[in-house]
C-alpha cells in the first residue's frame, strides 16, 4: 500500500508511516523519518509565527484590510499586493496597474490591424503571481461570483492559461477601483 504524496504530511499520513511503513523500514530509514518529522514540526512552528506577524502587520494597514474582503485573498497576498501597488495614485487608471503587473498582452499594430501576443516577461512578477494565485483561490472558494463565472467562461472558450490571466486582469481592475474608492469587495 502506498500513500499519495500530498497526504504524507497530514495526521493520517504520519499514522500510516508509523503503523504501515514503519515495520518495513531499516533502522537508518527510521532515524531519517524521525529526523524529518522533527524538522517539519520546527518549521511548522516557525511558519505559524510568521503568519501571525503578517496578520498583525496587515491589521495596521487599511489597504490590506480592504483587500482581505476579496474571497481568496488572505493576509499574506493582501500585504503583498498592497506593498506593491500603494500608493494607488501612482496608477492613473486600471490599465496602468494591469500593465505594471504584467497582465496586459503585448500588442503589435500595423495599419488598421492589431495583433495581441503573450504577456511580457519583464513585469512585476510578484504582483502578477499574487493576482493569478488569488484568482485561482477565489475560483475555488466562491465559484458563483462574477469573477469565477468570468474565469469559467474564458476557460471553456480559450483554455485555462488564457483564462487565468484574463481573470487576473479583471481582478487587478477591481483592486484598483477598491483602493481608489475605499469600498469593500462586492459580488454584485
Amino acid at each position: 500500500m502506498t500513500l499519495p504524496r500530498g497526504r504524507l504530511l497530514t495526521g493520517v499520513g504520519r499514522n500510516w508511516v508509523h503503523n504501515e511503513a514503519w515495520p518495513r523500514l531499516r533502522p537508518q530509514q527510521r532515524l531519517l523519518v524521525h529526523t524529518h518529522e522533527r524538522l517539519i514540526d520546527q518549521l511548522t512552528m516557525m511558519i505559524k509565527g510568521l503568519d501571525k506577524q503578517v496578520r498583525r502587520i496587515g491589521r495596521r494597514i487599511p489597504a490590506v484590510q480592504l483587500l482581505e474582503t476579496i474571497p481568496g485573498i488572505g493576509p499574506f497576498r493582501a500585504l503583498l499586493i498592497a506593498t506593491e501597488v500603494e500608493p494607488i495614485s501612482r496608477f492613473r487608471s486600471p490599465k496602468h496597474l494591469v500593465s505594471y503587473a504584467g497582465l496586459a498582452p503585448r500588442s503589435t499594430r500595423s495599419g488598421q490591424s492589431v495583433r495581441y501576443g503573450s504577456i511580457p516577461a519583464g513585469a512585476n512578477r510578484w504582483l502578477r503571481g499574487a493576482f493569478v494565485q488569488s484568482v485561482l483561490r477565489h475560483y475555488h472558494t466562491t465559484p458563483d461570483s462574477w469573477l469565477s463565472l468570468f474565469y469559467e467562461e474564458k476557460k471553456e472558450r480559450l483554455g485555462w492559461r488564457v483564462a487565468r490571466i484574463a481573470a487576473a486582469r479583471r481582478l487587478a481592475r477591481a483592486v484598483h477601483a477598491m483602493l481608489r474608492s475605499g469600498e469593500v469587495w462586492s459580488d454584485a
Side-chain angles (χ1 to χ4, degrees), residues 131 135 147 150-151 154 162-172:
F131 280 130
V135 163
L147 185 62
F150 174 81
Y151 172 74
K154 290 288 183 188
V162 174
R164 67 183 181 170
I165 299 299
R169 202 169 25 250
R170 283 272 172 107
L171 179 59

Side-chain angles (χ1 to χ4, degrees), residues 49-152:
L50 291 172
D51 284 344
K52 284 181 184 177
Q53 272 188 297
V54 167
R55 280 192 296 277
R56 186 175 40 80
I57 292 168
R59 279 195 297 263
R60 291 187 249 147
I61 303 170
V64 172
Q65 292 174 337
L66 193 62
L67 292 171
E68 283 188 77
T69 65
I70 302 172
I73 295 185
F76 177 77
R77 280 203 193 102
L79 187 59
L80 173 66
I81 293 170
T83 302
E84 293 292 332
V85 303
E86 284 290 301
I88 196 64
S89 59
R90 295 184 306 154
F91 305 102
R92 288 181 296 183
S93 71
K95 287 181 183 179
H96 290 96
L97 177 58
V98 166
S99 179
Y100 177 73
L103 296 169
R106 294 180 188 176
S107 61
T108 314
R109 299 172 194 271
S110 176
Q112 296 295 324
S113 66
V114 179
R115 292 188 184 158
Y116 294 99
S118 62
I119 56 176
N124 187 323
R125 64 187 176 106
W126 296 105
L127 189 55
R128 176 171 43 206
F131 280 130
V132 170
Q133 290 301 316
S134 296
V135 163
L136 299 176
R137 186 77 185 125
H138 180 88
Y139 176 71
H140 290 294
T141 57
T142 52
D144 295 330
S145 75
W146 64 265
L147 185 62
S148 297
L149 295 174
F150 174 81
Y151 172 74
E152 187 65 36

